[in-house]
Structures are given as C-alpha cells and as structure tokens.
C-alpha cells in the first residue's frame, strides 16, 4: 500500500480559467521506505509537487493522499529540508538539531540527546556538536539541517534541492554520508534535484519531469549496487 499517492494531480497558481498549469496529470505512488528522486529542469514543477505532498499547497486538480487520507493542509508528520539550512546562529550545532523537538514538545530528554549525537556522528559531525554554526562550512551546515529534520523522525522526508548551493565534491561526500544514514535509518523520502548523478547515487527510483509544465516524462527504475 502506498504511503503517498497522487492521482490525476494538477495545479494552476492563477485560478483564472485558461491560465497555465504549473503541473498536470501526475499519477504517483511512493511506498514505505522508498527513496524517490525527482529530476528535471528549472520551472518544470518539482517544488510544486513537493509542496503538494507537504500539504503546504492543495492542488487545484486531482488528489494527494498520505496513508490513505486526503491531504488538506500542512502535516506535522512530514519533514522538509530546503536549499538553505537556516540554523540559529546563537545555538551550538547540538542545540540547533534539538531545537525543533523543544519547540514541538516543550522539552527533550537524554534519549533525544543520544540520538542527536548518533545522527551527528553518522553525518561526520561528531567533532562539531559544540561548535557554533558559523564555524562550519556550508556543506556541514546543510548536513546539520538534515540531522535536525531526521531527529523529529518524520514519516516522510521531503528535500528540495538540499545540495544545490554546494560544490560538487562536497555534494558527493554528503551523498555518501547520507547513504550510511539511510542504511541504518530507512526513511520514505522525496528528493528534488537537478543533478542526475545525485539522483542516481541516492534514490531507489528516479522520476524525470519535462520542461513542459508538469508532464511526467518517464520513470526510471534505478537498481545500482550501492558503494
Ligand atoms: P521547479 O521546482 O521545477 O523549478 P516550480 O514548481 O517552482 O518548478 O514551478 C513550476 C511552474 O510554476 C513554473 O512555471 C513557475 O513559474 C510556476 N510557479 C511556481 N511557484 C509559483 C507561485 N508561487 N506563483 C505562481 N507561479 C508559480
Ligand atoms: P520509520 O519511517 O520511522 O521507519 P515507518 O515507515 O515504519 O517509520 O512508519 C512511519 C509511521 O507511519 C508510523 O508511525 C506508522 O504508524 C505510520 N503508518 C504506516 N502506515 C500507515 C497507514 N497505512 N496508515 C496510517 N499510518 C501509517
């Protein structure tokens, strides 16, 4: 059974009849613990797709459901990682990743701190837990943002071009670090990128969107031996 199901989904931002569709005709199932990457050129509708899964955007056509329930607003079982990690500059790395737990539940415990340290270690950041964000490189900050999202243990993790601000070497290293994390902590992930190599490195399934707004051109099953 699909975790996320999109049927006949389309969206126009301008509700005027006849205005252009940002995306249209999307039918997509995402299964439990599947890592789906969406690639395609700028403007083809990738972020629109992601916003509809998050519930931040309700499509004008068709239906999005999560766990069999129609999505009709923002959901707190969905975690999102954006291009820029927006860490709080006055908190240490460890406190930054624990911050959403505090915000959501009012507090966090020793088990959360242990989990935070484990995830930071998996992301290669164990030596940086007590540092301030501005002491870290951009790539490290982005990893902190991912650890922060994972610590809330969302049922679905959405990532919108999380590495596009980073150089190629850093992206590759983060990619390998993430593979280690997914292996130990499988997650249902929808990952947007315009890098085919990143998609192929990380995903179980790659969805290619075309420049023509919304038309899903192809679905490539990727079954590569992981490094
Ligand atoms: P991508 O993420 O692939 O770059 P987007 O989903 O951001 O594509 O955009 C798809 C289309 O929808 C584009 O034509 C874009 O201009 C349009 N669009 C995106 N966001 C908005 C918005 N908030 N209001 C109006 N049009 C938008
Ligand atoms: P994790 O991603 O942490 O490994 P799971 O993928 O096993 O966790 O499940 C994520 C959450 O989704 C769990 O809280 C589970 O109860 C919930 N869940 C799974 N399937 C359904 C379903 N069909 N309807 C409602 N909730 C579901």
């Amino acid at each position: 059974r699909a975790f996320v199901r999109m049927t006949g989904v389309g969206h126009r931002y301008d509700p005027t009849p006849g205005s252009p569709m940002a995306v249209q005709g999307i039918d997509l199932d995402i299964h439990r613990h599947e890592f789906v990457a969406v690639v395609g050129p700028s403007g083809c509708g990738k972020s629109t797709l992601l916003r509809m899964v998050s519930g931040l955007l309700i499509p004008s056509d068709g239906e999005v459901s999560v766990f069999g329930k129609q999505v009709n607003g923002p959901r707190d079982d969905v975690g999102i990682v954006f291009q820029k990690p927006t860490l709080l500059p006055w908190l240490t790395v460890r406190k930054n990743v624990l911050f959403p737990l505090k915000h959501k539940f009012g507090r966090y415990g020793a088990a959360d701190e242990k989990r935070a340290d484990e995830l930071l270690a998996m992301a290669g950041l164990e030596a940086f837990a007590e540092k301030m964000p501005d002491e870290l490189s951009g790539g490290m900050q982005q990893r902190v943002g991912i650890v922060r999202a994972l610590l809330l243990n969302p049922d679905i993790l959405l990532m919108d071009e999380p590495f596009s601000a980073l150089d190629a070497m850093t992206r590759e290293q983060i990619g390998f670090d993430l593979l280690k994390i997914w292996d130990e902590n499988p997650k249902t992930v929808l990952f947007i990128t315009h890098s085919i190599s990143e998609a192929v490195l990380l995903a179980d399934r790659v969805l290619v969107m075309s420049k023509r707004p919304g038309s899903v051109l192809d679905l490539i099953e990727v079954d590569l031996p992981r490094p």
Side-chain angles (χ1 to χ4, degrees):
R1 179 134 164 258
F3 246 46
V4 179
R5 170 162 290 172
M6 305 185 101
T7 36
V9 167
H11 187 70
R12 50 164 56 96
Y13 283 96
D14 175 356
T16 315
S19 65
M21 303 288 290
V23 295
Q24 68 190 94
I26 295 181
D27 293 305
L28 172 65
D29 278 357
I30 301 175
H31 299 280
R32 177 170 180 270
H33 291 181
E34 193 177 27
F35 192 126
V36 175
V38 182
V39 296
S42 183
C44 70
K46 302 184 294 299
S47 299
T48 301
L49 179 79
L50 181 132
R51 275 183 226 132
M52 293 189 294
V53 176
S54 73
L56 293 170
L57 179 70
I58 307 301
S60 45
D61 297 358
E63 189 179 299
V64 181
S65 62
V66 175
F67 304 137
K69 283 222 189 87
Q70 188 170 356
V71 175
N72 50 22
R75 309 174 54 87
D76 63 8
D77 50 3
V78 170
I80 311 185
V81 176
F82 293 105
Q83 191 174 331
K84 292 259 168 61
T86 59
L87 304 177
L88 299 170
W90 59 87
L91 293 181
T92 63
V93 164
R94 182 188 279 111
K95 290 212 163 123
N96 260 285
V97 300
L98 288 161
F99 183 80
L101 282 176
K102 194 166 177 183
H103 182 73
K104 196 170 169 189
F105 303 112
R107 52 182 224 95
Y108 52 80
D112 300 312
E113 292 186 51
K114 183 164 173 276
R115 182 77 187 130
D117 288 338
E118 279 169 12
L119 285 169
L120 286 170
M122 277 190 242
L125 293 166
E126 60 271 72
F128 297 87
E130 295 305 327
K131 300 260 192 249
M132 304 308 276
D134 67 2
E135 298 177 81
L136 273 61
S137 68
M140 288 175 173
Q141 291 185 28
Q142 191 55 288
R143 268 181 267 194
V144 175
I146 292 165
V147 169
R148 179 178 59 185
L150 286 172
L151 199 57
L152 277 170
N153 199 23
D155 297 340
I156 300 163
L157 184 64
L158 306 176
M159 296 201 266
D160 194 350
E161 308 227 11
F163 311 137
S164 58
L166 308 176
D167 63 79
M169 292 267 281
T170 307
R171 290 157 79 127
E172 184 155 316
Q173 186 50 52
I174 293 189
F176 287 121
D177 289 339
L178 283 184
L179 286 179
K180 274 182 268 161
I181 294 184
W182 306 142
D183 279 349
E184 297 187 32
N185 180 69
K187 273 273 151 223
T188 307
V189 181
L190 183 63
F191 179 90
I192 286 178
T193 178
H194 51 245
S195 161
I196 289 272
S197 57
E198 219 166 79
V200 168
L201 173 68
L202 292 168
D204 303 311
R205 193 149 63 103
V206 179
L207 200 67
V208 181
M209 287 177 86
S210 83
K211 190 87 185 173
R212 186 162 66 83
S215 58
V216 174
L217 255 193
D218 212 348
L219 201 62
I220 304 175
E221 300 287 340
V222 178
D223 189 13
L224 293 170
R226 291 198 154 165

